[in-house]
Amino acid sequence: MELGHLFEAVMLVCFGFSWPLNVRKAYKARTAKGTSLAFIILIITGYVAGITAKFLNHQINYVLAVYFLNLAIVMTNVLVYIRNVALDKKTEKTETKKKLLAVKKEYMNKNIYEMEENMNYEELNNIAQKNAVILFGGAMDKKIPVAELAQSFEFDFKIYNRSEELLSVKNAKDIYSKNIQPLEPEAILIHIGETDQNLFKNSSVDFDNYYMSMLETIKNTNKNCRVALISVRNENEDRLITEMNRHIKAIADSERCDFINLDSVKLWNPRATKASVDFAYSMGLKSKKPLRNIAEILYSYAYLELQEENLNESLVG
């Protein structure tokens, strides 16, 4: 009888030897995938039945201790399974969140230009990042798809278009305070003057004062902001526009701003510039790439692509 108990104990040890290894493997795996809870419960039921039989037959000996040992190890598997199920849920939640963020990011990258047409700047500023480059111009500037160009030229910084169709030196300060100042921009490209020719003709002093007042507001609210003043395009060499641009350049010089002359736009070749100096990858905010290079991208498109579109529309019409 004692020999029978010994062989029974050997059997139990052989069956139970794999369970500690299974517990270790399941714990390190950190996932319940591939583990059958029903199978574990079946094994537990078998051990409980064996223990019950021992008590009913009054066979209280060392074999019963092996039953309890195996049962404890199998129960540990249940605890590890429960822990792994919780980890799987947490992982699934994290992965789902990552997928949603990726979809949101892709959607934003593809549709931000369309969004700018359907949302006001106050709403856009709530989802925009600070310390970006801002394009601040008039009706023509508003048509420049800065998000698409940034993606095409692989800009490694954020750039937003906050242009207004009726922008003038008179309302520029107020529009800046409302639509641009909350973004705390790292740099601003300012293109104003196309709607101010009558003002300049009647009083160039007033024109200068309005312009200087706007720049003073920018400096007072964001003293580290880089600013580039962009000339008014003068294709027909109009004497009034020439004089206006001379004033804008003088303001830029006195306020230590960059001055960008759009009369050179036909000579710009932004893709050649990108290829020769690895433009896109060296254009980050940290390296503070000259604003002139950014203007080359934006205004080459504005005056070459947009004007070609307008010409085609006129021909079709």
Side-chain angles (χ1 to χ4, degrees):
M1 188 67 176
E2 290 295 330
L3 190 60
H5 290 162
L6 177 62
F7 279 115
E8 184 181 5
V10 172
M11 177 198 71
L12 292 171
V13 170
C14 290
F15 279 131
F17 184 74
S18 63
W19 286 108
L21 298 177
N22 192 65
V23 170
R24 182 174 180 271
K25 181 180 179 181
Y27 185 84
K28 293 180 66 176
R30 299 177 64 83
T31 177
K33 296 177 181 178
T35 302
S36 172
L37 180 61
F39 177 73
I40 297 175
I41 297 299
L42 184 63
I43 297 298
I44 291 175
T45 302
Y47 281 127
V48 171
I51 291 171
T52 302
K54 286 293 184 183
F55 280 105
L56 291 176
N57 294 327
H58 304 287
Q59 296 177 347
I60 312 301
N61 52 32
Y62 62 89
V63 177
L64 184 60
V66 179
Y67 271 104
F68 275 111
L69 177 62
N70 282 8
L71 179 61
I73 296 174
V74 177
M75 288 296 294
T76 304
N77 268 273
V78 175
L79 297 177
V80 173
Y81 176 85
I82 294 173
R83 171 255 197 183
N84 285 349
V85 168
L87 289 176
D88 284 340
K89 290 181 179 180
K90 185 177 180 180
T91 300
E92 183 178 357
K93 185 177 180 180
T94 301
E95 291 299 322
T96 300
K97 186 176 180 180
K98 287 182 179 179
K99 290 179 180 179
L100 289 174
L101 288 175
V103 171
K104 182 179 179 181
K105 183 177 180 181
E106 182 179 359
Y107 177 83
M108 291 293 293
N109 288 338
K110 289 183 178 180
N111 296 281
I112 191 168
Y113 183 60
E114 288 79 3
M115 287 174 61
E116 288 190 352
E117 293 182 336
N118 299 319
M119 297 174 66
N120 61 49
Y121 289 147
E122 185 176 356
E123 292 173 326
L124 287 171
N125 285 349
N126 290 330
I127 60 175
Q129 295 182 17
K130 294 184 178 181
N131 200 42
V133 174
I134 305 297
L135 175 62
F136 186 33
M140 184 274 293
D141 307 83
K142 191 171 183 178
K143 295 179 181 180
I144 301 176
V146 295
E148 295 177 8
L149 292 172
Q151 185 175 10
S152 177
F153 284 87
E154 300 174 316
F155 290 180
D156 59 353
F157 60 90
K158 291 295 182 180
I159 181 168
Y160 302 115
N161 194 338
R162 293 296 181 266
S163 300
E164 290 281 356
E165 289 187 4
L166 301 178
L167 181 68
S168 75
V169 291
K170 289 183 177 181
N171 61 19
K173 181 172 69 173
D174 292 335
I175 293 176
Y176 164 82
S177 298
K178 179 181 178 181
N179 297 335
I180 300 176
Q181 180 183 334
L183 293 175
E184 299 176 11
E186 188 276 332
I188 306 177
L189 296 167
I190 299 176
H191 187 209
I192 304 177
E194 292 185 345
T195 62
D196 296 303
Q197 294 180 37
N198 287 334
L199 170 65
F200 184 83
K201 182 178 180 180
N202 293 329
S203 176
S204 61
V205 174
D206 287 344
F207 176 88
D208 294 348
N209 288 337
Y210 280 121
Y211 217 127
M212 294 288 287
S213 179
M214 175 196 61
L215 293 177
E216 183 179 1
T217 299
I218 294 174
K219 288 188 175 182
N220 289 338
T221 57
N222 191 352
K223 63 180 180 179
N224 295 321
C225 180
R226 295 185 296 150
V227 177
L229 306 185
I230 299 170
S231 72
V232 178
R233 186 73 188 277
N234 191 11
E235 293 179 329
N236 300 320
E237 298 183 358
D238 184 279
R239 295 180 63 181
L240 179 66
I241 297 177
T242 299
E243 184 63 16
M244 178 187 289
N245 285 336
R246 191 181 68 80
H247 278 242
I248 294 175
K249 185 179 186 306
I251 293 172
D253 292 340
S254 66
E255 297 300 313
R256 298 182 179 179
C257 301
D258 290 340
F259 176 75
I260 299 171
N261 190 351
L262 290 184
D263 289 340
S264 303
V265 69
K266 292 182 179 180
L267 303 177
W268 292 345
N269 189 337
R271 293 201 177 275
T273 302
K274 176 180 180 294
S276 62
V277 298
D278 198 18
F279 172 77
Y281 292 103
S282 64
M283 200 175 185
L285 295 178
K286 292 182 179 179
S287 61
K288 293 186 181 297
K289 189 68 178 179
L291 296 179
R292 180 176 302 278
N293 295 131
I294 304 175
E296 284 190 18
I297 298 294
L298 303 182
Y299 288 97
S300 290
Y301 176 90
Y303 282 106
L304 300 179
E305 299 293 334
L306 290 180
Q307 284 193 355
E308 183 176 345
E309 290 179 8
N310 294 335
L311 177 62
N312 291 336
E313 290 177 2
S314 298
L315 293 176
V316 171

Short mmCIF file of all heavy atoms in Angstrom, two decimals, residues 218-255:
data_model
loop_
_atom_site.label_atom_id
_atom_site.label_comp_id
_atom_site.label_asym_id
_atom_site.label_seq_id
_atom_site.Cartn_x
_atom_site.Cartn_y
_atom_site.Cartn_z
N ILE A 218 4.08 94.00 -32.01
CA ILE A 218 4.70 92.68 -32.11
C ILE A 218 5.88 92.57 -31.16
O ILE A 218 6.03 91.59 -30.42
CB ILE A 218 5.15 92.41 -33.56
CG1 ILE A 218 3.93 92.30 -34.48
CG2 ILE A 218 5.98 91.13 -33.64
CD1 ILE A 218 4.27 92.17 -35.95
N LYS A 219 6.73 93.60 -31.13
CA LYS A 219 7.91 93.57 -30.27
C LYS A 219 7.53 93.59 -28.79
O LYS A 219 8.18 92.94 -27.97
CB LYS A 219 8.83 94.75 -30.60
CG LYS A 219 9.54 94.61 -31.93
CD LYS A 219 10.58 95.70 -32.11
CE LYS A 219 11.38 95.50 -33.38
NZ LYS A 219 12.43 96.52 -33.55
N ASN A 220 6.49 94.34 -28.46
CA ASN A 220 6.08 94.43 -27.06
C ASN A 220 5.48 93.12 -26.55
O ASN A 220 5.60 92.80 -25.36
CB ASN A 220 5.06 95.56 -26.87
CG ASN A 220 5.69 96.93 -27.01
OD1 ASN A 220 6.91 97.08 -26.85
ND2 ASN A 220 4.88 97.92 -27.31
N THR A 221 4.85 92.37 -27.43
CA THR A 221 4.21 91.12 -27.01
C THR A 221 5.08 89.90 -27.22
O THR A 221 4.87 88.87 -26.59
CB THR A 221 2.89 90.93 -27.78
OG1 THR A 221 3.14 90.95 -29.20
CG2 THR A 221 1.89 92.02 -27.44
N ASN A 222 6.06 90.01 -28.13
CA ASN A 222 6.93 88.86 -28.41
C ASN A 222 8.29 89.40 -28.88
O ASN A 222 8.57 89.45 -30.08
CB ASN A 222 6.29 87.98 -29.48
CG ASN A 222 6.99 86.65 -29.63
OD1 ASN A 222 8.05 86.43 -29.05
ND2 ASN A 222 6.42 85.76 -30.43
N LYS A 223 9.13 89.77 -27.93
CA LYS A 223 10.37 90.49 -28.27
C LYS A 223 11.36 89.62 -29.03
O LYS A 223 12.24 90.14 -29.72
CB LYS A 223 11.02 91.01 -26.99
CG LYS A 223 11.45 89.93 -26.01
CD LYS A 223 12.09 90.55 -24.78
CE LYS A 223 12.54 89.48 -23.79
NZ LYS A 223 13.18 90.08 -22.59
N ASN A 224 11.25 88.30 -28.95
CA ASN A 224 12.20 87.42 -29.64
C ASN A 224 11.71 86.98 -31.01
O ASN A 224 12.37 86.18 -31.68
CB ASN A 224 12.48 86.18 -28.78
CG ASN A 224 13.19 86.52 -27.49
OD1 ASN A 224 14.07 87.37 -27.47
ND2 ASN A 224 12.81 85.85 -26.41
N CYS A 225 10.55 87.48 -31.42
CA CYS A 225 9.98 87.07 -32.69
C CYS A 225 10.77 87.66 -33.86
O CYS A 225 11.05 88.86 -33.90
CB CYS A 225 8.52 87.52 -32.76
SG CYS A 225 7.68 87.07 -34.30
N ARG A 226 11.14 86.82 -34.81
CA ARG A 226 11.78 87.30 -36.04
C ARG A 226 10.71 87.81 -37.00
O ARG A 226 9.65 87.20 -37.12
CB ARG A 226 12.59 86.19 -36.71
CG ARG A 226 13.77 85.71 -35.90
CD ARG A 226 14.59 84.70 -36.71
NE ARG A 226 13.82 83.50 -37.00
CZ ARG A 226 13.98 82.75 -38.08
NH1 ARG A 226 14.88 83.08 -38.99
NH2 ARG A 226 13.26 81.65 -38.26
N VAL A 227 11.00 88.91 -37.69
CA VAL A 227 10.01 89.53 -38.57
C VAL A 227 10.65 89.81 -39.93
O VAL A 227 11.78 90.30 -40.01
CB VAL A 227 9.46 90.84 -37.98
CG1 VAL A 227 8.49 91.50 -38.95
CG2 VAL A 227 8.77 90.57 -36.64
N ALA A 228 9.92 89.48 -40.98
CA ALA A 228 10.34 89.82 -42.34
C ALA A 228 9.23 90.64 -42.99
O ALA A 228 8.06 90.25 -42.98
CB ALA A 228 10.60 88.56 -43.15
N LEU A 229 9.60 91.79 -43.54
CA LEU A 229 8.65 92.64 -44.25
C LEU A 229 8.79 92.38 -45.74
O LEU A 229 9.91 92.41 -46.28
CB LEU A 229 8.91 94.11 -43.94
CG LEU A 229 8.94 94.50 -42.46
CD1 LEU A 229 9.08 96.01 -42.32
CD2 LEU A 229 7.71 94.00 -41.74
N ILE A 230 7.68 92.14 -46.39
CA ILE A 230 7.70 91.75 -47.80
C ILE A 230 7.15 92.89 -48.64
O ILE A 230 6.12 93.50 -48.31
CB ILE A 230 6.87 90.48 -48.01
CG1 ILE A 230 7.49 89.33 -47.19
CG2 ILE A 230 6.80 90.09 -49.48
CD1 ILE A 230 6.64 88.09 -47.13
N SER A 231 7.82 93.18 -49.71
CA SER A 231 7.44 94.31 -50.56
C SER A 231 6.12 94.05 -51.28
O SER A 231 5.68 92.90 -51.41
CB SER A 231 8.53 94.59 -51.60
OG SER A 231 8.54 93.58 -52.59
N VAL A 232 5.52 95.11 -51.78
CA VAL A 232 4.35 95.01 -52.63
C VAL A 232 4.83 94.72 -54.05
O VAL A 232 5.76 95.37 -54.54
CB VAL A 232 3.52 96.31 -52.59
CG1 VAL A 232 2.31 96.21 -53.52
CG2 VAL A 232 3.07 96.59 -51.16
N ARG A 233 4.22 93.75 -54.68
CA ARG A 233 4.65 93.37 -56.03
C ARG A 233 4.42 94.55 -56.99
O ARG A 233 3.36 95.18 -56.98
CB ARG A 233 3.87 92.14 -56.52
CG ARG A 233 4.36 91.59 -57.86
CD ARG A 233 5.69 90.89 -57.71
NE ARG A 233 6.23 90.53 -59.00
CZ ARG A 233 5.91 89.44 -59.69
NH1 ARG A 233 5.00 88.61 -59.21
NH2 ARG A 233 6.48 89.19 -60.84
N ASN A 234 5.41 94.82 -57.82
CA ASN A 234 5.35 95.99 -58.70
C ASN A 234 5.74 95.59 -60.12
O ASN A 234 6.78 95.97 -60.66
CB ASN A 234 6.29 97.08 -58.17
CG ASN A 234 6.09 98.41 -58.86
OD1 ASN A 234 5.13 98.60 -59.59
ND2 ASN A 234 7.01 99.34 -58.63
N GLU A 235 4.88 94.80 -60.72
CA GLU A 235 5.16 94.28 -62.07
C GLU A 235 5.26 95.38 -63.11
O GLU A 235 6.06 95.30 -64.04
CB GLU A 235 4.06 93.29 -62.48
CG GLU A 235 4.03 92.00 -61.67
CD GLU A 235 2.91 91.10 -62.12
OE1 GLU A 235 1.86 91.62 -62.58
OE2 GLU A 235 3.08 89.88 -62.03
N ASN A 236 4.45 96.43 -62.96
CA ASN A 236 4.41 97.50 -63.96
C ASN A 236 5.30 98.67 -63.60
O ASN A 236 5.22 99.74 -64.23
CB ASN A 236 2.96 97.98 -64.14
CG ASN A 236 2.05 96.87 -64.61
OD1 ASN A 236 2.43 96.05 -65.45
ND2 ASN A 236 0.83 96.82 -64.06
N GLU A 237 6.13 98.50 -62.58
CA GLU A 237 7.06 99.54 -62.15
C GLU A 237 6.34 100.85 -61.86
O GLU A 237 6.76 101.94 -62.27
CB GLU A 237 8.16 99.74 -63.19
CG GLU A 237 9.01 98.48 -63.40
CD GLU A 237 10.15 98.72 -64.38
OE1 GLU A 237 10.25 99.84 -64.92
OE2 GLU A 237 10.94 97.79 -64.59
N ASP A 238 5.26 100.72 -61.16
CA ASP A 238 4.47 101.90 -60.76
C ASP A 238 5.29 102.75 -59.78
O ASP A 238 5.85 102.24 -58.82
CB ASP A 238 3.17 101.44 -60.11
CG ASP A 238 2.25 102.59 -59.76
OD1 ASP A 238 2.49 103.23 -58.72
OD2 ASP A 238 1.31 102.85 -60.53
N ARG A 239 5.33 104.06 -60.03
CA ARG A 239 6.17 104.93 -59.21
C ARG A 239 5.66 105.01 -57.77
O ARG A 239 6.45 105.09 -56.82
CB ARG A 239 6.21 106.33 -59.82
CG ARG A 239 6.90 106.37 -61.20
CD ARG A 239 6.92 107.77 -61.78
NE ARG A 239 7.69 108.69 -60.93
CZ ARG A 239 7.84 110.00 -61.21
NH1 ARG A 239 7.27 110.51 -62.30
NH2 ARG A 239 8.55 110.77 -60.42
N LEU A 240 4.33 104.96 -57.59
CA LEU A 240 3.77 105.03 -56.25
C LEU A 240 4.16 103.78 -55.44
O LEU A 240 4.57 103.88 -54.27
CB LEU A 240 2.24 105.14 -56.32
CG LEU A 240 1.51 105.19 -54.97
CD1 LEU A 240 1.86 106.46 -54.22
CD2 LEU A 240 0.00 105.07 -55.17
N ILE A 241 4.05 102.60 -56.07
CA ILE A 241 4.41 101.35 -55.38
C ILE A 241 5.91 101.30 -55.12
O ILE A 241 6.34 100.83 -54.05
CB ILE A 241 3.96 100.14 -56.22
CG1 ILE A 241 2.43 100.13 -56.35
CG2 ILE A 241 4.43 98.84 -55.58
CD1 ILE A 241 1.89 99.02 -57.20
N THR A 242 6.69 101.83 -56.06
CA THR A 242 8.14 101.88 -55.86
C THR A 242 8.47 102.70 -54.62
O THR A 242 9.31 102.30 -53.80
CB THR A 242 8.84 102.48 -57.09
OG1 THR A 242 8.58 101.66 -58.24
CG2 THR A 242 10.33 102.57 -56.86
N GLU A 243 7.83 103.84 -54.48
CA GLU A 243 8.07 104.69 -53.30
C GLU A 243 7.56 104.02 -52.02
O GLU A 243 8.18 104.12 -50.96
CB GLU A 243 7.37 106.04 -53.51
CG GLU A 243 7.63 107.05 -52.41
CD GLU A 243 9.09 107.45 -52.29
OE1 GLU A 243 9.88 107.20 -53.23
OE2 GLU A 243 9.44 108.04 -51.23
N MET A 244 6.42 103.33 -52.12
CA MET A 244 5.89 102.62 -50.96
C MET A 244 6.87 101.55 -50.49
O MET A 244 7.15 101.41 -49.29
CB MET A 244 4.54 101.97 -51.30
CG MET A 244 3.93 101.16 -50.14
SD MET A 244 2.46 100.25 -50.62
CE MET A 244 1.30 101.58 -50.83
N ASN A 245 7.43 100.80 -51.44
CA ASN A 245 8.39 99.76 -51.10
C ASN A 245 9.67 100.35 -50.51
O ASN A 245 10.32 99.73 -49.65
CB ASN A 245 8.73 98.91 -52.33
CG ASN A 245 7.59 97.96 -52.69
OD1 ASN A 245 6.78 97.60 -51.82
ND2 ASN A 245 7.53 97.54 -53.94
N ARG A 246 10.02 101.53 -50.95
CA ARG A 246 11.19 102.19 -50.37
C ARG A 246 10.94 102.51 -48.90
O ARG A 246 11.84 102.35 -48.06
CB ARG A 246 11.51 103.47 -51.16
CG ARG A 246 12.85 104.09 -50.80
CD ARG A 246 13.09 105.36 -51.60
NE ARG A 246 12.18 106.43 -51.20
CZ ARG A 246 12.37 107.20 -50.12
NH1 ARG A 246 13.43 107.01 -49.34
NH2 ARG A 246 11.51 108.15 -49.84
N HIS A 247 9.73 102.91 -48.58
CA HIS A 247 9.36 103.20 -47.20
C HIS A 247 9.35 101.90 -46.37
O HIS A 247 9.81 101.89 -45.23
CB HIS A 247 7.98 103.87 -47.14
CG HIS A 247 8.01 105.33 -47.40
ND1 HIS A 247 7.61 106.28 -46.47
CD2 HIS A 247 8.40 106.05 -48.49
CE1 HIS A 247 7.76 107.49 -46.97
NE2 HIS A 247 8.21 107.38 -48.21
N ILE A 248 8.80 100.84 -46.95
CA ILE A 248 8.76 99.56 -46.22
C ILE A 248 10.17 99.07 -45.92
O ILE A 248 10.46 98.59 -44.82
CB ILE A 248 7.98 98.50 -47.04
CG1 ILE A 248 6.51 98.91 -47.16
CG2 ILE A 248 8.09 97.12 -46.39
CD1 ILE A 248 5.69 98.00 -48.05
N LYS A 249 11.07 99.22 -46.91
CA LYS A 249 12.46 98.81 -46.69
C LYS A 249 13.11 99.67 -45.61
O LYS A 249 13.87 99.16 -44.75
CB LYS A 249 13.27 98.89 -47.97
CG LYS A 249 14.69 98.35 -47.81
CD LYS A 249 15.46 98.42 -49.11
CE LYS A 249 16.83 97.75 -48.97
NZ LYS A 249 17.61 98.28 -47.83
N ALA A 250 12.83 100.97 -45.61
CA ALA A 250 13.40 101.86 -44.60
C ALA A 250 12.89 101.48 -43.21
O ALA A 250 13.65 101.48 -42.23
CB ALA A 250 13.03 103.31 -44.91
N ILE A 251 11.61 101.10 -43.12
CA ILE A 251 11.05 100.65 -41.84
C ILE A 251 11.73 99.36 -41.40
O ILE A 251 12.08 99.19 -40.22
CB ILE A 251 9.52 100.44 -41.97
CG1 ILE A 251 8.83 101.79 -42.19
CG2 ILE A 251 8.97 99.76 -40.73
CD1 ILE A 251 7.34 101.66 -42.51
N ALA A 252 11.93 98.45 -42.35
CA ALA A 252 12.60 97.18 -42.03
C ALA A 252 14.01 97.43 -41.51
O ALA A 252 14.45 96.82 -40.52
CB ALA A 252 12.63 96.28 -43.26
N ASP A 253 14.73 98.32 -42.16
CA ASP A 253 16.09 98.63 -41.73
C ASP A 253 16.11 99.26 -40.34
O ASP A 253 16.95 98.91 -39.50
CB ASP A 253 16.76 99.57 -42.75
CG ASP A 253 17.01 98.90 -44.08
OD1 ASP A 253 17.04 97.65 -44.12
OD2 ASP A 253 17.18 99.62 -45.09
N SER A 254 15.18 100.20 -40.10
CA SER A 254 15.18 100.89 -38.81
C SER A 254 14.77 99.97 -37.67
O SER A 254 15.22 100.12 -36.53
CB SER A 254 14.25 102.10 -38.86
OG SER A 254 12.90 101.70 -39.02
N GLU A 255 13.90 98.98 -37.96
CA GLU A 255 13.42 98.06 -36.93
C GLU A 255 14.18 96.74 -36.92
O GLU A 255 13.80 95.81 -36.22
CB GLU A 255 11.92 97.78 -37.16
CG GLU A 255 11.04 99.01 -37.02
CD GLU A 255 11.13 99.63 -35.64
OE1 GLU A 255 11.04 98.88 -34.65
OE2 GLU A 255 11.30 100.87 -35.55
#
